[in-house]
Structures are given as C-alpha cells and as structure tokens.
Amino acid sequence: MADKETQATVYFHNQAGLNEWQRKYYSQLIIIDQIDTIEGNETGSLITFCLNAKHIVKNVSYFKQLQHIKIDAQTIDYYHYVV
C-alpha cells in the first residue's frame, strides 16, 4: 500500500469527467480506492491513486507528477460539471 506522500486524491462530480480522466491516464495510474458519494440529487466519486512504477518520469519529482495529474483532473471535472 502506498503511503500518504506517494498518493493523491481527486474528486469528480460526474461519471463523464471520471471516464475521460481514466482513459487519459489509464496506464499511468493505480487506483487505490474509489468512494462514490451522493450530495442531494448529485453523485460523485472520490478517487485515491498513485503512479504506476512503469510510467514514472525519472527526472521529474514524484510530487510534481502527482500534482500535474491532480490539476488535470480538476480541469477535466470542471469542463464536465459546468452546465
């Protein structure tokens, strides 16, 4: 199991954003945990992940790679969530 410094958590407001993110990073991530949430009449997903060792960029810090994927997840979620 990954420790807290080598894993990150992202939230998706809908399945469309989550699907796009998973397609984009399919081979680069290992999903550790997925919690489906319900807020009123909306559902979402809280995803905890770490990087797949086969796809880690050697000359870029692990933290920066996680941050890049988290920011990309927020951007994807924003475009799928805005009505």
Side-chain angles (χ1 to χ4, degrees):
M1 178 152 163
D3 61 36
K4 298 296 180 189
E5 295 177 5
T6 61
Q7 63 187 13
T9 303
V10 293
Y11 181 80
F12 288 93
H13 289 90
N14 59 39
Q15 193 66 37
L18 175 59
N19 289 343
E20 180 179 339
W21 182 75
Q22 285 181 319
R23 276 192 306 273
K24 185 172 183 178
Y25 293 103
Y26 175 76
S27 64
Q28 298 176 20
L29 302 177
I30 297 172
I31 295 179
I32 299 169
D33 192 22
Q34 178 173 350
I35 300 172
D36 295 325
T37 62
I38 299 174
E39 296 176 20
N41 61 353
E42 295 184 13
T43 60
S45 296
L46 186 65
I47 308 292
T48 304
F49 68 94
C50 64
L51 297 178
N52 186 341
K54 294 178 183 177
H55 297 280
I56 294 175
V57 178
K58 302 290 188 235
N59 58 354
V60 179
S61 77
Y62 195 90
F63 177 76
K64 283 187 178 183
Q65 292 177 62
L66 284 177
Q67 288 303 102
H68 172 74
I69 293 171
K70 284 176 60 174
I71 291 169
D72 198 33
Q74 292 170 347
T75 303
I76 290 169
D77 184 51
Y78 174 78
Y79 285 110
H80 283 280
Y81 186 63
V82 174
V83 178

